[in-house]
Amino acid sequence: MKKLILLIFSVFFISLFISCKNNNDITTKEKNNVTIVNITSKKNVTTTNAETTTNINNTIQETQEEVHEFMMKIDGIKINISWEENDSVKELKEFASNGLTINMHQYGGFEQVGSIGKNITSNNIQLNTNPGDVVLYASNQIVIFFGHNSWSYTKLGHINLTEDELNNLLNKENVELYLGE
């Protein structure tokens, strides 16, 4: 009777474990007419402190490389900018990899404009710009807005400053823009 109950109990549990998700390894062994079920979950991951430290250091290094990969300065002040992911930005980064200084001048009371010194790929579309937008105009002009405008541009990025901060930084006759690593 005990063997029959044990057998029914074993069959029940084996059926239950076999129907589990595929992310578990299930092994069974017969020993003295008793079924032993061993379950190993693939979800359980054990790492050592050294592995964790290495992973954290790699993440920090990758983040630092992204942050310092390509920067913008206006009149010597480092600017926090979110770059677009497009061919124009890739070409601009390549062109300015050794540093590029652009003398910009105010135009229309709402933007600073300057020549990058060569034509790069553009994909112009009609945009309603906002303060902080950085765009490519005529394939060779970089424009930074501290006001609003509507025209056909290729968006390069957006400066993460308030409208007042942008106005203080850009609302003057000329500014010097530096792009580089």
Side-chain angles (χ1 to χ4, degrees), residues 140-156:
N140 63 5
Q141 304 283 315
I142 192 165
V143 181
I144 304 173
F145 290 92
F146 59 93
H148 300 272
N149 194 25
S150 180
W151 201 260
S152 184
Y153 301 110
T154 301
K155 185 140 184 205
L156 300 175

Side-chain angles (χ1 to χ4, degrees), residues 16-179:
L16 179 67
F17 289 120
I18 290 174
S19 66
C20 290
K21 294 180 183 173
N22 290 337
N23 63 349
N24 294 327
D25 288 335
I26 302 169
T27 56
T28 59
K29 294 180 185 178
E30 288 270 337
K31 188 172 184 178
N32 298 333
N33 292 332
V34 176
T35 303
I36 302 170
V37 179
N38 183 17
I39 302 173
T40 308
S41 174
K42 292 180 184 176
K43 288 184 180 178
N44 294 338
V45 178
T46 306
T47 58
T48 64
N49 286 340
E51 288 173 337
T52 302
T53 302
T54 300
N55 289 340
I56 291 170
N57 287 341
N58 288 343
T59 301
I60 290 170
Q61 183 177 356
E62 289 169 8
T63 302
Q64 287 173 341
E65 287 172 2
E66 289 173 13
V67 170
H68 298 294
E69 181 181 291
F70 191 67
M71 72 170 159
M72 174 186 280
K73 289 183 181 178
I74 297 175
D75 287 340
I77 300 168
K78 188 174 178 183
I79 303 301
N80 183 7
I81 181 168
S82 299
W83 294 102
E84 293 290 311
E85 291 183 23
N86 60 37
D87 290 339
S88 301
V89 172
K90 287 177 189 170
E91 285 182 40
L92 182 62
K93 287 179 178 182
E94 280 181 29
F95 182 62
S97 63
N98 293 324
L100 175 64
T101 301
I102 300 170
N103 294 313
M104 302 184 82
H105 63 278
Q106 189 181 124
Y107 179 81
F110 54 85
E111 66 186 27
Q112 287 283 340
V113 179
S115 173
I116 60 174
K118 73 176 254 176
N119 285 348
I120 60 173
T121 299
S122 62
N123 187 17
N124 293 338
I125 59 171
Q126 186 69 31
L127 293 175
N128 292 318
T129 62
N130 293 302
D133 284 344
V134 180
V135 300
L136 179 66
Y137 172 71
S139 298
N140 63 5
Q141 304 283 315
I142 192 165
V143 181
I144 304 173
F145 290 92
F146 59 93
H148 300 272
N149 194 25
S150 180
W151 201 260
S152 184
Y153 301 110
T154 301
K155 185 140 184 205
L156 300 175
H158 184 80
I159 296 173
N160 302 310
L161 294 173
T162 67
E163 198 167 338
D164 286 340
E165 291 169 327
L166 287 163
N167 196 43
N168 288 334
L169 188 63
L170 297 170
N171 192 4
K172 46 186 147 181
E173 192 172 325
N174 299 300
V175 297
E176 183 181 85
L177 175 68
Y178 173 82
L179 300 172

